[in-house]
Amino acid sequence: MTSVLKLSNFIDGKFEQSASFIDGFDPSTGEVWTRIPDSGSNEVSRAVDAAKAAFPGWSATPVQQRSQIMLKIADILELRLEEFAEMESRDQGKPVWLARTVEIPRAVYNFRFFATSVLHELNRSTVMDAACAINYTVKQPVGVAGLISPWNLPLYLLTFKIAPAIAFGNTVVAKPSEMTSLTAFKLCEIFNQAGLPPGVVNLVFGVGPRAGDAIVRHPDVPLISFTGGTLTATKIREATSEMCKKFSLELGGKNPAVIFSDADLEKCVATTIRSSFVNQGEICLCTSRVYVQRDIFQDFLGKFLTETRKLVVGDPKQQDTFMGPLISKAHLEKVRGYVDIARSEGATVLCGIEPLELPEEKKNGYFMRPTVITGVDDDSRLIQEEIFGPVVCIVPFDTEEEVIRRANGVKYGLCATLWTQNASRLHRVAHKLQVGTVWVNCWLVRDLNMPFGGTKESGIGRESARDSLEFFTEEKTICVKF
Ligand code: NDP
């Protein structure tokens, strides 16, 4: 029996006890291990008031001082990396090694990156010689930013919103997913230790339809940065349709890998396995449709299956575990449901449904093997819908035109991977894929200075040093006659 951790909201620099809670589950055991405040509009209103009160002071704080506080946040978080990695793994299910090597270091980097990039921003100016006037711009923070983040990369995605928001002088009311709130709660201790003034960042925990909805509807929250599902984004836009809010929406994906017969097969198989199954396939950028040119299809499939069957699924604490449990029982059932659909449609499930041998204490965890399916039609729900789990469909193709059409034949447009050694073809195809990012002969290699975001129903807006500046500030033009 594990002890249960009770979280509290963080408003105006203080931890506030809550009257009601919801359960947070350890996905590897199915046991309750955290109790999360079940916040609603009252808590959100107090958080917005605190953020509003902190805004004049924080936005007028010299940028070097804001930067120093953020660098201190990064330093303290880095010192506590191991502790945060263990918490993140326990809360979300990813292996500890993945949290230790990718997610928490990236959260540290988010603070460092925006703390330093903000120091180098310049304004625009022009001299109108005929009118004897100078025009110049100033970029001003917008106000209270409402930040809503999902459960799949909890600290990484939350800090990718908090860091630019406060670097550019905004104050924040944030809500992480109720399924993964622990590291966000612990981060609030670091905010206080680093000397972040009270009210600059406020964390309100709870479920989306109550706490999240109260943030997006609040009239004093003029900008919303949301990462999550496309359906939730639709609800948020409907809820705010009569208000003029600024939105950044990073949404779902159905990302193709397009593999031509001249691909470096060893690299391609290894990377496509990682892009399909890392973090249990619960990354918006994970590959879920693999198109392989027909003359190498069987070769690719054989190698892919051999390597996939070697992946260890189990205890997230073990160093050799590649995949931990899925986030929740409901999500596991949803993902397994897609495998049932595949079988009912006559597709072939090549691996993934064999029983797992788990230790006694993990028997109620939400584990599932990496699953590979072939023989799926283009209009199947498996090809069209975001599954967000360790399920990948592998499909043969013949020509370049055909694969571009099929890769583009879904409502999403987040990212794609493309495998070919032919320089002309890689540029030609990359230009035609309807996605925000194309990785060629690699995956997940991107400089934070470059724009990130989706096309079609995968989102609105881009994130990068420059794009976040655009989003979290408003540019004003001042025209002065000599
Ligand atoms: P959801 O859309 O279910 O939830 C995202 C966040 O929104 C959570 O904090 C949730 O709260 C909150 N929320 C839910 N309903 C509302 C509402 N009515 N008003 C305001 N907030 C609400 O997504 P998931 O958490 O399930 O995350 C998975 C999704 O996120 C996938 O579609 C994935 O592709 C996408 N994603 C996109 C990324 C990108 O950069 N494009 C990156 C990572 C994920 P709660 O969960 O507490 O109810």
Short mmCIF file of all heavy atoms in Angstrom, two decimals, residues 63-126:
data_model
loop_
_atom_site.label_atom_id
_atom_site.label_comp_id
_atom_site.label_asym_id
_atom_site.label_seq_id
_atom_site.Cartn_x
_atom_site.Cartn_y
_atom_site.Cartn_z
N VAL A 63 14.16 43.33 -18.03
CA VAL A 63 14.23 42.01 -18.66
C VAL A 63 15.40 41.19 -18.12
O VAL A 63 15.29 39.97 -17.94
CB VAL A 63 14.23 42.16 -20.20
CG1 VAL A 63 15.49 42.79 -20.71
CG2 VAL A 63 13.98 40.84 -20.89
N GLN A 64 16.51 41.85 -17.78
CA GLN A 64 17.66 41.10 -17.22
C GLN A 64 17.28 40.43 -15.90
O GLN A 64 17.70 39.32 -15.61
CB GLN A 64 18.87 42.02 -16.97
CG GLN A 64 19.58 42.48 -18.22
CD GLN A 64 18.94 43.70 -18.83
OE1 GLN A 64 17.88 44.15 -18.37
NE2 GLN A 64 19.54 44.23 -19.86
N GLN A 65 16.46 41.14 -15.13
CA GLN A 65 16.06 40.58 -13.82
C GLN A 65 15.12 39.40 -14.01
O GLN A 65 15.23 38.38 -13.34
CB GLN A 65 15.37 41.69 -13.02
CG GLN A 65 15.50 41.54 -11.54
CD GLN A 65 14.92 42.77 -10.86
OE1 GLN A 65 15.13 43.92 -11.30
NE2 GLN A 65 14.17 42.55 -9.80
N ARG A 66 14.19 39.54 -14.95
CA ARG A 66 13.28 38.41 -15.23
C ARG A 66 14.11 37.21 -15.70
O ARG A 66 13.88 36.08 -15.28
CB ARG A 66 12.28 38.79 -16.34
CG ARG A 66 11.31 39.88 -15.96
CD ARG A 66 10.04 39.81 -16.79
NE ARG A 66 10.22 39.99 -18.22
CZ ARG A 66 9.98 41.12 -18.90
NH1 ARG A 66 9.54 42.19 -18.26
NH2 ARG A 66 10.17 41.17 -20.18
N SER A 67 15.06 37.50 -16.54
CA SER A 67 15.91 36.45 -17.08
C SER A 67 16.68 35.74 -15.96
O SER A 67 16.75 34.50 -15.92
CB SER A 67 16.87 37.06 -18.10
OG SER A 67 17.85 36.16 -18.46
N GLN A 68 17.21 36.52 -15.02
CA GLN A 68 18.00 35.90 -13.93
C GLN A 68 17.13 34.98 -13.06
O GLN A 68 17.55 33.90 -12.67
CB GLN A 68 18.63 36.97 -13.06
CG GLN A 68 19.96 37.43 -13.63
CD GLN A 68 20.44 38.73 -13.03
OE1 GLN A 68 19.89 39.21 -12.05
NE2 GLN A 68 21.47 39.29 -13.64
N ILE A 69 15.92 35.41 -12.80
CA ILE A 69 15.02 34.56 -11.98
C ILE A 69 14.74 33.25 -12.73
O ILE A 69 14.76 32.17 -12.16
CB ILE A 69 13.72 35.31 -11.65
CG1 ILE A 69 14.02 36.48 -10.71
CG2 ILE A 69 12.69 34.37 -11.02
CD1 ILE A 69 12.84 37.42 -10.44
N MET A 70 14.52 33.38 -14.03
CA MET A 70 14.23 32.16 -14.81
C MET A 70 15.44 31.23 -14.86
O MET A 70 15.30 30.00 -14.81
CB MET A 70 13.78 32.54 -16.22
CG MET A 70 12.41 33.20 -16.22
SD MET A 70 11.91 33.70 -17.86
CE MET A 70 11.80 32.14 -18.68
N LEU A 71 16.63 31.82 -14.96
CA LEU A 71 17.83 30.96 -14.97
C LEU A 71 17.98 30.25 -13.63
O LEU A 71 18.40 29.09 -13.56
CB LEU A 71 19.07 31.80 -15.27
CG LEU A 71 19.16 32.32 -16.72
CD1 LEU A 71 20.32 33.29 -16.88
CD2 LEU A 71 19.29 31.17 -17.71
N LYS A 72 17.58 30.92 -12.56
CA LYS A 72 17.65 30.29 -11.23
C LYS A 72 16.63 29.14 -11.15
O LYS A 72 16.93 28.09 -10.59
CB LYS A 72 17.36 31.35 -10.16
CG LYS A 72 17.92 30.98 -8.84
CD LYS A 72 18.06 32.19 -7.95
CE LYS A 72 18.51 31.72 -6.58
NZ LYS A 72 18.32 32.73 -5.56
N ILE A 73 15.45 29.35 -11.72
CA ILE A 73 14.45 28.26 -11.76
C ILE A 73 15.07 27.05 -12.46
O ILE A 73 14.99 25.91 -11.99
CB ILE A 73 13.17 28.72 -12.48
CG1 ILE A 73 12.45 29.81 -11.69
CG2 ILE A 73 12.22 27.53 -12.73
CD1 ILE A 73 11.30 30.49 -12.44
N ALA A 74 15.72 27.32 -13.60
CA ALA A 74 16.34 26.22 -14.38
C ALA A 74 17.41 25.51 -13.55
O ALA A 74 17.47 24.27 -13.52
CB ALA A 74 16.94 26.78 -15.66
N ASP A 75 18.24 26.30 -12.84
CA ASP A 75 19.33 25.69 -12.06
C ASP A 75 18.77 24.79 -10.95
O ASP A 75 19.27 23.69 -10.73
CB ASP A 75 20.21 26.78 -11.44
CG ASP A 75 21.03 27.52 -12.49
OD1 ASP A 75 21.11 27.01 -13.62
OD2 ASP A 75 21.56 28.60 -12.17
N ILE A 76 17.75 25.28 -10.26
CA ILE A 76 17.21 24.47 -9.14
C ILE A 76 16.55 23.21 -9.68
O ILE A 76 16.72 22.12 -9.14
CB ILE A 76 16.21 25.30 -8.28
CG1 ILE A 76 16.87 26.56 -7.74
CG2 ILE A 76 15.68 24.44 -7.12
CD1 ILE A 76 15.92 27.52 -7.03
N LEU A 77 15.81 23.37 -10.78
CA LEU A 77 15.16 22.20 -11.37
C LEU A 77 16.21 21.16 -11.79
O LEU A 77 16.02 19.96 -11.60
CB LEU A 77 14.30 22.64 -12.57
CG LEU A 77 13.52 21.55 -13.31
CD1 LEU A 77 12.57 20.80 -12.38
CD2 LEU A 77 12.71 22.16 -14.47
N GLU A 78 17.30 21.64 -12.33
CA GLU A 78 18.36 20.72 -12.76
C GLU A 78 18.95 19.96 -11.56
O GLU A 78 19.23 18.77 -11.64
CB GLU A 78 19.46 21.50 -13.49
CG GLU A 78 20.40 20.62 -14.26
CD GLU A 78 21.25 21.46 -15.20
OE1 GLU A 78 21.75 22.53 -14.78
OE2 GLU A 78 21.42 21.05 -16.36
N LEU A 79 19.10 20.67 -10.45
CA LEU A 79 19.63 20.00 -9.25
C LEU A 79 18.66 18.92 -8.76
O LEU A 79 19.08 17.95 -8.15
CB LEU A 79 19.83 21.03 -8.12
CG LEU A 79 21.02 21.96 -8.27
CD1 LEU A 79 21.02 23.02 -7.16
CD2 LEU A 79 22.32 21.16 -8.21
N ARG A 80 17.38 19.12 -9.02
CA ARG A 80 16.36 18.15 -8.55
C ARG A 80 15.90 17.22 -9.68
O ARG A 80 14.82 16.65 -9.60
CB ARG A 80 15.18 18.93 -7.96
CG ARG A 80 15.57 19.70 -6.70
CD ARG A 80 14.44 20.54 -6.14
NE ARG A 80 13.31 19.75 -5.69
CZ ARG A 80 12.21 20.27 -5.14
NH1 ARG A 80 12.13 21.58 -4.95
NH2 ARG A 80 11.20 19.50 -4.79
N LEU A 81 16.73 17.09 -10.70
CA LEU A 81 16.34 16.34 -11.91
C LEU A 81 15.90 14.90 -11.60
O LEU A 81 14.86 14.45 -12.07
CB LEU A 81 17.51 16.35 -12.88
CG LEU A 81 17.25 15.85 -14.30
CD1 LEU A 81 18.12 16.63 -15.29
CD2 LEU A 81 17.52 14.38 -14.49
N GLU A 82 16.67 14.22 -10.79
CA GLU A 82 16.37 12.80 -10.52
C GLU A 82 15.00 12.67 -9.83
O GLU A 82 14.18 11.82 -10.21
CB GLU A 82 17.48 12.22 -9.65
CG GLU A 82 17.46 10.72 -9.53
CD GLU A 82 17.63 10.01 -10.88
OE1 GLU A 82 18.38 10.51 -11.73
OE2 GLU A 82 16.99 8.96 -11.07
N GLU A 83 14.78 13.54 -8.85
CA GLU A 83 13.50 13.51 -8.11
C GLU A 83 12.32 13.78 -9.06
O GLU A 83 11.31 13.08 -9.04
CB GLU A 83 13.59 14.60 -7.03
CG GLU A 83 12.37 14.80 -6.20
CD GLU A 83 12.37 16.19 -5.51
OE1 GLU A 83 13.41 16.89 -5.55
OE2 GLU A 83 11.33 16.55 -4.98
N PHE A 84 12.49 14.78 -9.93
CA PHE A 84 11.42 15.12 -10.87
C PHE A 84 11.21 14.00 -11.89
O PHE A 84 10.09 13.70 -12.29
CB PHE A 84 11.71 16.46 -11.58
CG PHE A 84 11.16 17.63 -10.82
CD1 PHE A 84 11.78 18.08 -9.67
CD2 PHE A 84 10.00 18.27 -11.23
CE1 PHE A 84 11.27 19.15 -8.94
CE2 PHE A 84 9.47 19.34 -10.51
CZ PHE A 84 10.11 19.78 -9.37
N ALA A 85 12.31 13.36 -12.32
CA ALA A 85 12.18 12.27 -13.30
C ALA A 85 11.38 11.12 -12.70
O ALA A 85 10.52 10.53 -13.35
CB ALA A 85 13.57 11.81 -13.74
N GLU A 86 11.65 10.81 -11.44
CA GLU A 86 10.92 9.71 -10.81
C GLU A 86 9.44 10.04 -10.65
O GLU A 86 8.57 9.21 -10.89
CB GLU A 86 11.56 9.37 -9.46
CG GLU A 86 12.81 8.54 -9.64
CD GLU A 86 13.57 8.30 -8.36
OE1 GLU A 86 12.99 8.43 -7.28
OE2 GLU A 86 14.78 7.99 -8.47
N MET A 87 9.16 11.30 -10.27
CA MET A 87 7.75 11.69 -10.11
C MET A 87 7.02 11.65 -11.44
O MET A 87 5.88 11.18 -11.54
CB MET A 87 7.66 13.12 -9.54
CG MET A 87 8.07 13.24 -8.10
SD MET A 87 7.71 14.86 -7.41
CE MET A 87 8.82 15.93 -8.27
N GLU A 88 7.69 12.15 -12.48
CA GLU A 88 7.04 12.21 -13.80
C GLU A 88 6.75 10.80 -14.32
O GLU A 88 5.69 10.52 -14.87
CB GLU A 88 7.96 12.95 -14.77
CG GLU A 88 7.30 13.37 -16.06
CD GLU A 88 6.45 14.62 -15.89
OE1 GLU A 88 5.76 14.77 -14.86
OE2 GLU A 88 6.45 15.45 -16.81
N SER A 89 7.70 9.90 -14.09
CA SER A 89 7.52 8.53 -14.53
C SER A 89 6.37 7.86 -13.78
O SER A 89 5.52 7.19 -14.37
CB SER A 89 8.83 7.76 -14.29
OG SER A 89 8.61 6.40 -14.29
N ARG A 90 6.33 8.08 -12.49
CA ARG A 90 5.28 7.46 -11.67
C ARG A 90 3.90 7.99 -12.07
O ARG A 90 2.90 7.27 -12.09
CB ARG A 90 5.58 7.78 -10.20
CG ARG A 90 4.60 7.22 -9.21
CD ARG A 90 5.04 5.89 -8.67
NE ARG A 90 4.01 5.27 -7.89
CZ ARG A 90 3.92 5.33 -6.57
NH1 ARG A 90 4.82 6.00 -5.87
NH2 ARG A 90 2.93 4.72 -5.93
N ASP A 91 3.83 9.28 -12.38
CA ASP A 91 2.54 9.92 -12.68
C ASP A 91 2.05 9.57 -14.08
O ASP A 91 0.86 9.39 -14.29
CB ASP A 91 2.73 11.45 -12.59
CG ASP A 91 1.61 12.11 -11.79
OD1 ASP A 91 0.90 11.39 -11.07
OD2 ASP A 91 1.47 13.33 -11.89
N GLN A 92 2.98 9.51 -15.02
CA GLN A 92 2.56 9.40 -16.43
C GLN A 92 2.81 8.02 -17.02
O GLN A 92 2.17 7.64 -18.01
CB GLN A 92 3.29 10.47 -17.25
CG GLN A 92 2.75 10.68 -18.67
CD GLN A 92 3.60 9.94 -19.69
OE1 GLN A 92 4.78 9.69 -19.49
NE2 GLN A 92 2.98 9.59 -20.81
N GLY A 93 3.76 7.26 -16.45
CA GLY A 93 4.00 5.91 -16.95
C GLY A 93 5.25 5.76 -17.79
O GLY A 93 5.69 4.64 -18.04
N LYS A 94 5.84 6.87 -18.25
CA LYS A 94 7.04 6.74 -19.09
C LYS A 94 8.18 6.14 -18.26
O LYS A 94 8.22 6.33 -17.03
CB LYS A 94 7.45 8.08 -19.68
CG LYS A 94 7.86 9.12 -18.65
CD LYS A 94 8.52 10.34 -19.26
CE LYS A 94 7.78 10.98 -20.38
NZ LYS A 94 6.56 11.68 -20.02
N PRO A 95 9.12 5.43 -18.90
CA PRO A 95 10.27 4.92 -18.15
C PRO A 95 11.04 6.07 -17.50
O PRO A 95 11.16 7.16 -18.08
CB PRO A 95 11.12 4.23 -19.23
CG PRO A 95 10.18 3.94 -20.35
CD PRO A 95 9.15 5.02 -20.33
N VAL A 96 11.60 5.80 -16.32
CA VAL A 96 12.36 6.85 -15.61
C VAL A 96 13.50 7.36 -16.48
O VAL A 96 13.79 8.56 -16.52
CB VAL A 96 12.91 6.34 -14.26
CG1 VAL A 96 13.74 7.41 -13.58
CG2 VAL A 96 11.78 5.92 -13.34
N TRP A 97 14.17 6.43 -17.21
CA TRP A 97 15.33 6.87 -18.01
C TRP A 97 14.92 7.92 -19.04
O TRP A 97 15.67 8.83 -19.36
CB TRP A 97 16.05 5.70 -18.67
CG TRP A 97 15.24 4.91 -19.68
CD1 TRP A 97 14.62 3.72 -19.46
CD2 TRP A 97 14.97 5.25 -21.06
NE1 TRP A 97 13.97 3.30 -20.60
CE2 TRP A 97 14.17 4.21 -21.60
CE3 TRP A 97 15.32 6.31 -21.89
CZ2 TRP A 97 13.70 4.22 -22.92
CZ3 TRP A 97 14.85 6.32 -23.20
CH2 TRP A 97 14.06 5.28 -23.70
N LEU A 98 13.68 7.79 -19.57
CA LEU A 98 13.22 8.73 -20.58
C LEU A 98 12.95 10.11 -19.96
O LEU A 98 13.31 11.14 -20.53
CB LEU A 98 11.95 8.17 -21.25
CG LEU A 98 11.39 8.92 -22.43
CD1 LEU A 98 12.40 9.01 -23.57
CD2 LEU A 98 10.11 8.23 -22.93
N ALA A 99 12.35 10.09 -18.78
CA ALA A 99 12.10 11.36 -18.08
C ALA A 99 13.44 12.00 -17.69
O ALA A 99 13.61 13.21 -17.79
CB ALA A 99 11.27 11.11 -16.83
N ARG A 100 14.41 11.17 -17.29
CA ARG A 100 15.70 11.68 -16.83
C ARG A 100 16.55 12.24 -17.98
O ARG A 100 17.25 13.23 -17.83
CB ARG A 100 16.47 10.54 -16.17
CG ARG A 100 17.80 10.92 -15.57
CD ARG A 100 18.60 9.70 -15.17
NE ARG A 100 17.96 8.90 -14.15
CZ ARG A 100 17.70 7.59 -14.28
NH1 ARG A 100 18.06 6.93 -15.35
NH2 ARG A 100 17.11 6.93 -13.31
N THR A 101 16.44 11.60 -19.15
CA THR A 101 17.32 12.01 -20.24
C THR A 101 16.66 12.98 -21.22
O THR A 101 17.36 13.68 -21.94
CB THR A 101 17.81 10.79 -21.05
OG1 THR A 101 16.66 10.04 -21.48
CG2 THR A 101 18.71 9.89 -20.23
N VAL A 102 15.34 12.99 -21.27
CA VAL A 102 14.69 13.86 -22.26
C VAL A 102 13.78 14.90 -21.60
O VAL A 102 13.99 16.10 -21.73
CB VAL A 102 13.87 13.03 -23.29
CG1 VAL A 102 13.19 13.95 -24.29
CG2 VAL A 102 14.76 12.03 -24.01
N GLU A 103 12.77 14.43 -20.87
CA GLU A 103 11.72 15.36 -20.51
C GLU A 103 12.15 16.42 -19.49
O GLU A 103 11.92 17.62 -19.69
CB GLU A 103 10.50 14.60 -19.97
CG GLU A 103 9.42 15.60 -19.66
CD GLU A 103 8.07 15.00 -19.54
OE1 GLU A 103 7.90 13.80 -19.70
OE2 GLU A 103 7.15 15.80 -19.24
N ILE A 104 12.77 16.00 -18.41
CA ILE A 104 13.13 17.00 -17.38
C ILE A 104 14.28 17.90 -17.89
O ILE A 104 14.21 19.12 -17.73
CB ILE A 104 13.46 16.33 -16.02
CG1 ILE A 104 12.34 15.33 -15.64
CG2 ILE A 104 13.65 17.38 -14.92
CD1 ILE A 104 10.94 15.90 -15.51
N PRO A 105 15.31 17.33 -18.55
CA PRO A 105 16.32 18.23 -19.12
C PRO A 105 15.72 19.25 -20.10
O PRO A 105 16.12 20.39 -20.15
CB PRO A 105 17.29 17.28 -19.85
CG PRO A 105 17.15 15.99 -19.14
CD PRO A 105 15.71 15.91 -18.69
N ARG A 106 14.71 18.81 -20.85
CA ARG A 106 14.09 19.74 -21.79
C ARG A 106 13.31 20.84 -21.04
O ARG A 106 13.28 21.99 -21.47
CB ARG A 106 13.18 18.96 -22.75
CG ARG A 106 12.32 19.80 -23.64
CD ARG A 106 13.10 20.74 -24.57
NE ARG A 106 12.17 21.73 -25.11
CZ ARG A 106 11.47 21.55 -26.23
NH1 ARG A 106 11.64 20.48 -26.94
NH2 ARG A 106 10.64 22.48 -26.63
N ALA A 107 12.70 20.47 -19.90
CA ALA A 107 12.00 21.50 -19.11
C ALA A 107 13.01 22.52 -18.59
O ALA A 107 12.75 23.74 -18.62
CB ALA A 107 11.24 20.83 -17.95
N VAL A 108 14.18 22.04 -18.15
CA VAL A 108 15.25 22.94 -17.71
C VAL A 108 15.64 23.86 -18.87
O VAL A 108 15.74 25.09 -18.73
CB VAL A 108 16.48 22.13 -17.24
CG1 VAL A 108 17.68 23.04 -16.99
CG2 VAL A 108 16.15 21.30 -16.00
N TYR A 109 15.82 23.25 -20.04
CA TYR A 109 16.24 24.00 -21.23
C TYR A 109 15.21 25.05 -21.64
O TYR A 109 15.56 26.14 -22.08
CB TYR A 109 16.51 23.01 -22.37
CG TYR A 109 17.05 23.64 -23.62
CD1 TYR A 109 18.29 24.28 -23.61
CD2 TYR A 109 16.33 23.61 -24.81
CE1 TYR A 109 18.79 24.87 -24.77
CE2 TYR A 109 16.82 24.21 -25.97
CZ TYR A 109 18.06 24.83 -25.94
OH TYR A 109 18.54 25.43 -27.07
N ASN A 110 13.93 24.71 -21.48
CA ASN A 110 12.88 25.69 -21.83
C ASN A 110 13.08 27.00 -21.06
O ASN A 110 12.99 28.09 -21.63
CB ASN A 110 11.50 25.13 -21.52
CG ASN A 110 11.04 24.08 -22.53
OD1 ASN A 110 11.57 24.02 -23.64
ND2 ASN A 110 10.08 23.26 -22.14
N PHE A 111 13.35 26.89 -19.75
CA PHE A 111 13.57 28.12 -18.97
C PHE A 111 14.84 28.82 -19.43
O PHE A 111 14.85 30.05 -19.60
CB PHE A 111 13.64 27.79 -17.47
CG PHE A 111 12.27 27.56 -16.87
CD1 PHE A 111 11.86 26.30 -16.51
CD2 PHE A 111 11.38 28.62 -16.69
CE1 PHE A 111 10.60 26.07 -15.98
CE2 PHE A 111 10.11 28.41 -16.17
CZ PHE A 111 9.72 27.13 -15.81
N ARG A 112 15.91 28.04 -19.65
CA ARG A 112 17.19 28.68 -20.07
C ARG A 112 17.05 29.33 -21.44
O ARG A 112 17.54 30.43 -21.67
CB ARG A 112 18.31 27.63 -20.13
CG ARG A 112 18.70 27.15 -18.78
CD ARG A 112 20.15 26.71 -18.70
NE ARG A 112 20.43 26.39 -17.31
CZ ARG A 112 20.77 25.19 -16.85
NH1 ARG A 112 20.95 24.19 -17.69
NH2 ARG A 112 20.97 25.00 -15.57
N PHE A 113 16.38 28.63 -22.34
CA PHE A 113 16.27 29.12 -23.71
C PHE A 113 15.53 30.47 -23.75
O PHE A 113 16.02 31.45 -24.32
CB PHE A 113 15.53 28.08 -24.57
CG PHE A 113 15.34 28.50 -25.99
CD1 PHE A 113 16.34 28.28 -26.93
CD2 PHE A 113 14.17 29.12 -26.41
CE1 PHE A 113 16.18 28.68 -28.25
CE2 PHE A 113 14.00 29.52 -27.72
CZ PHE A 113 15.01 29.29 -28.65
N PHE A 114 14.37 30.54 -23.11
CA PHE A 114 13.60 31.78 -23.18
C PHE A 114 14.21 32.87 -22.28
O PHE A 114 14.09 34.05 -22.58
CB PHE A 114 12.13 31.53 -22.87
CG PHE A 114 11.43 30.82 -24.01
CD1 PHE A 114 11.14 29.47 -23.94
CD2 PHE A 114 11.11 31.50 -25.17
CE1 PHE A 114 10.54 28.80 -25.00
CE2 PHE A 114 10.51 30.85 -26.24
CZ PHE A 114 10.22 29.51 -26.15
N ALA A 115 14.87 32.46 -21.18
CA ALA A 115 15.53 33.44 -20.30
C ALA A 115 16.64 34.16 -21.05
O ALA A 115 16.93 35.33 -20.78
CB ALA A 115 16.12 32.75 -19.08
N THR A 116 17.26 33.49 -21.99
CA THR A 116 18.37 34.11 -22.71
C THR A 116 17.91 34.70 -24.05
O THR A 116 18.34 35.79 -24.41
CB THR A 116 19.52 33.10 -22.94
OG1 THR A 116 18.96 31.90 -23.47
CG2 THR A 116 20.23 32.78 -21.66
N SER A 117 16.99 34.03 -24.74
CA SER A 117 16.58 34.58 -26.04
C SER A 117 15.88 35.93 -25.87
O SER A 117 16.01 36.81 -26.70
CB SER A 117 15.70 33.59 -26.82
OG SER A 117 14.48 33.41 -26.18
N VAL A 118 15.18 36.11 -24.74
CA VAL A 118 14.45 37.36 -24.53
C VAL A 118 15.40 38.55 -24.41
O VAL A 118 15.03 39.70 -24.67
CB VAL A 118 13.53 37.24 -23.27
CG1 VAL A 118 14.35 37.19 -22.00
CG2 VAL A 118 12.50 38.34 -23.22
N LEU A 119 16.66 38.29 -24.08
CA LEU A 119 17.63 39.37 -23.93
C LEU A 119 18.06 39.96 -25.27
O LEU A 119 18.67 41.02 -25.32
CB LEU A 119 18.89 38.87 -23.20
CG LEU A 119 18.68 38.35 -21.78
CD1 LEU A 119 19.97 37.73 -21.26
CD2 LEU A 119 18.24 39.49 -20.87
N HIS A 120 17.75 39.23 -26.34
CA HIS A 120 18.29 39.65 -27.64
C HIS A 120 17.23 40.20 -28.59
O HIS A 120 17.47 40.31 -29.77
CB HIS A 120 19.02 38.46 -28.30
CG HIS A 120 20.06 37.89 -27.42
ND1 HIS A 120 21.25 38.52 -27.19
CD2 HIS A 120 20.09 36.77 -26.65
CE1 HIS A 120 21.97 37.81 -26.33
NE2 HIS A 120 21.28 36.74 -25.99
N GLU A 121 16.07 40.50 -28.05
CA GLU A 121 15.00 41.01 -28.92
C GLU A 121 15.21 42.49 -29.25
O GLU A 121 15.54 43.28 -28.37
CB GLU A 121 13.64 40.82 -28.23
CG GLU A 121 13.21 39.39 -28.14
CD GLU A 121 13.15 38.69 -29.50
OE1 GLU A 121 12.97 39.39 -30.52
OE2 GLU A 121 13.33 37.45 -29.54
N LEU A 122 15.00 42.82 -30.51
CA LEU A 122 15.11 44.21 -30.94
C LEU A 122 13.76 44.68 -31.47
O LEU A 122 12.97 43.87 -31.96
CB LEU A 122 16.15 44.35 -32.06
CG LEU A 122 17.60 44.03 -31.70
CD1 LEU A 122 18.47 44.07 -32.94
CD2 LEU A 122 18.12 45.01 -30.66
N ASN A 123 13.52 45.96 -31.38
CA ASN A 123 12.30 46.51 -31.97
C ASN A 123 12.58 46.95 -33.41
O ASN A 123 13.73 47.07 -33.82
CB ASN A 123 11.81 47.70 -31.15
CG ASN A 123 11.34 47.23 -29.79
OD1 ASN A 123 10.63 46.22 -29.69
ND2 ASN A 123 11.75 47.92 -28.74
N ARG A 124 11.49 47.20 -34.16
CA ARG A 124 11.65 47.64 -35.54
C ARG A 124 11.57 49.17 -35.61
O ARG A 124 10.85 49.77 -34.81
CB ARG A 124 10.53 47.05 -36.41
CG ARG A 124 10.60 45.55 -36.49
CD ARG A 124 9.66 45.03 -37.56
NE ARG A 124 8.31 44.87 -37.04
CZ ARG A 124 7.31 44.39 -37.78
NH1 ARG A 124 7.50 44.10 -39.04
NH2 ARG A 124 6.11 44.25 -37.25
N SER A 125 12.26 49.76 -36.57
CA SER A 125 12.09 51.21 -36.75
C SER A 125 12.37 51.58 -38.20
O SER A 125 13.06 50.84 -38.92
CB SER A 125 13.04 51.98 -35.84
OG SER A 125 14.36 51.84 -36.29
N THR A 126 11.81 52.70 -38.63
CA THR A 126 12.08 53.21 -39.98
C THR A 126 11.99 54.74 -39.96
O THR A 126 11.20 55.30 -39.19
CB THR A 126 11.10 52.60 -41.00
OG1 THR A 126 11.41 53.11 -42.29
CG2 THR A 126 9.65 52.92 -40.70
#
